[in-house]
C-alpha cells in the first residue's frame, strides 16, 4: 500500500480480554517495528522483524505481549489478559532496510484503552 | 544505557519567531540521528543525519549534527501555526536495527 496501515484505529477492551492489533507495512519493506507511545512520551521500542524473523523482542514488557509476521508482510501484535497499564498508542513502522541508513515510516497507530 | 534526551520539553512562540530544538544522545557506535514531526497522525520523517551528512536543510527547517558533542539541533525559522507539533529525535547505532526515541519537544506556534 501507499503507507503503513494499522487497524483498528481505536480499540476499547475490558480488563482481562485479549486484543490483536494489525499492521500492514509499506509493500517491499523488509523491516517492521512495533512501538508503544504513552501520552507525553516518545515511542518506546517493543519488537523488530526482519522479513518474517523476529530478531529483537527485547522491548516486549512481559509474556502477555507477543508478535508475529508469518509471511514477512502483515504483522499482528497480541496482548493477552489486558491490564489498564497496557492502555497506550501502539505504533507500527516499516523501513526498507531497518536502521541501516534509512528512515522508518510510521502508521497512524492503534489507540488501545483498557477499562 | 542508551539514552536520547530532548530539550526543551515544550515551547510556545509566536508566528515569525525562530526556534531551536535540541537532542543529545548517549549510545555506543552511533550510526544516525533522525528527526520526526508528529501531529495528530503518524510521525512524519524530516531529516536523517550521519557522519557523512551532518547538515540538512529543507525550506525553513534545518538540522545539524555535532558528533563531538553527541547532539543535534533542529532550527525552524519564520515559524507558522502549521509548525505546531511534537518534534521527535531518534538515534540508531551499530549492532541493532531499532530506533531509540527521545520524549519529544512540544512546539506551539501562536498566530
Amino acid at each position: 500500500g501507499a503507507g503503513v496501515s494499522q487497524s483498528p484505529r481505536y480499540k476499547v477492551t475490558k480488563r482481562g480480554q485479549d486484543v490483536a492489533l494489525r499492521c500492514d507495512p509499506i509493500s517491499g519493506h523488509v523491516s517492521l517495528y512495533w512501538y508503544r507511545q504513552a501520552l507525553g512520551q516518545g515511542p518506546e521500542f517493543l519488537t523488530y522483524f526482519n522479513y518474517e524473523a523476529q530478531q529483537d523482542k527485547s522491548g516486549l514488557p512481559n509474556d502477555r505481549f507477543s508478535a508475529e509476521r508469518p509471511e514477512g508482510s502483515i504483522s499482528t501484535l497480541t496482548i493477552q489478559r489486558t491490564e489498564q497499564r497496557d492502555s497506550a498508542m501502539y505504533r507500527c513502522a516499516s523501513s526498507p532496510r531497518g536502521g541501516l541508513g534509512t528512515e522508518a515510516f510510521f502508521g497512524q497507530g492503534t489507540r488501545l484503552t483498557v477499562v | 544505557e542508551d539514552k536520547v534526551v530532548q530539550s526543551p520539553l515544550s515551547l510556545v512562540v509566536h508566528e515569525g519567531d525562530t526556534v531551536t530544538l535540541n537532542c543529545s544522545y548517549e549510545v555506543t557506535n552511533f550510526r544516525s540521528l533522525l528527526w520526526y514531526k508528529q501531529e495528530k497522525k503518524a510521525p512524519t520523517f524530516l531529516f536523517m543525519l550521519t557522519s557523512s551528512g551532518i547538515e540538512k536543510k529543507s525550506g525553513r527547517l534545518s538540522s545539524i549534527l555535532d558528533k563531538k558533542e553527541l547532539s543535534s539541533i533542529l532550527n525552524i525559522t519564520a515559524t507558522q501555526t502549521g509548525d505546531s507539533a511534537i518534534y521527535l529525535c531518534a538515534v540508531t547505532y551499530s549492532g541493532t536495527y531499532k530506533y531509540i526515541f527521545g520524549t519529544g519537544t512540544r512546539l506551539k506556534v501562536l498566530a
Side-chain angles (χ1 to χ4, degrees):
Chain A
V4 178
S5 177
Q6 292 186 245
S7 62
R9 291 285 309 280
Y10 304 91
K11 177 71 177 177
V12 180
T13 190
K14 289 186 178 177
R15 192 161 44 101
Q17 297 291 307
D18 297 352
V19 295
L21 312 181
R22 174 188 161 116
C23 172
D24 193 351
I26 292 172
S27 179
H29 277 195
V30 165
S31 303
L32 185 146
Y33 304 81
W34 283 99
Y35 280 82
R36 180 170 67 176
Q37 188 171 16
L39 210 57
Q41 300 293 316
E44 173 195 8
F45 172 79
L46 295 178
T47 187
Y48 162 74
F49 289 86
N50 185 39
Y51 294 103
E52 72 281 0
Q54 189 175 20
Q55 293 197 335
D56 187 342
K57 53 181 182 178
S58 62
L60 295 177
N62 51 60
D63 60 9
R64 295 186 297 106
F65 287 72
S66 63
E68 62 174 11
R69 192 187 185 197
E71 296 177 3
S73 179
I74 291 169
S75 176
T76 302
L77 176 71
T78 301
I79 309 173
Q80 296 179 308
R81 305 181 302 281
T82 52
E83 300 177 4
Q84 284 189 321
R85 60 179 170 154
D86 300 333
S87 298
M89 174 72 83
Y90 288 84
R91 295 199 186 275
C92 174
S94 70
S95 78
R97 288 179 294 150
L100 295 177
T102 62
E103 67 270 27
F105 297 83
F106 282 85
Q108 294 188 357
T110 294
R111 181 165 295 284
L112 175 66
T113 303
V114 183
V115 297
Chain B
E1 185 187 331
D2 306 320
K3 197 159 57 171
V4 177
V5 178
Q6 292 187 244
S7 63
L9 289 181
S10 66
L11 192 54
V12 180
V13 300
H14 288 91
E15 268 194 321
D17 288 350
T18 293
V19 297
T20 299
L21 311 182
N22 299 281
C23 176
S24 64
Y25 58 91
E26 289 179 28
V27 298
T28 306
N29 298 321
F30 167 87
R31 186 158 55 201
S32 64
L33 185 144
L34 300 91
W35 284 98
Y36 284 83
K37 178 182 181 182
Q38 182 177 316
E39 297 172 271
K40 288 195 174 172
K41 299 183 179 180
T44 54
F45 171 75
L46 294 174
F47 298 119
M48 182 168 68
L49 303 161
T50 65
S51 300
S52 57
I54 62 170
E55 192 166 348
K56 293 284 174 76
K57 183 174 170 62
S58 176
R60 296 178 296 103
L61 277 66
S62 62
S63 183
I64 297 173
L65 175 69
D66 187 337
K67 283 201 73 181
K68 200 179 282 187
E69 296 297 324
L70 306 185
S71 65
S72 173
I73 59 170
L74 176 68
N75 275 323
I76 308 175
T77 59
T79 51
Q80 302 171 357
T81 54
D83 296 327
S84 296
I86 296 172
Y87 289 84
L88 295 167
C89 170
V91 167
T92 70
Y93 55 95
S94 300
T96 180
Y97 290 95
K98 59 187 172 188
Y99 302 78
I100 310 295
F101 282 85
T103 54
T105 293
R106 181 180 292 274
L107 173 66
K108 187 169 179 62
V109 182
L110 303 175

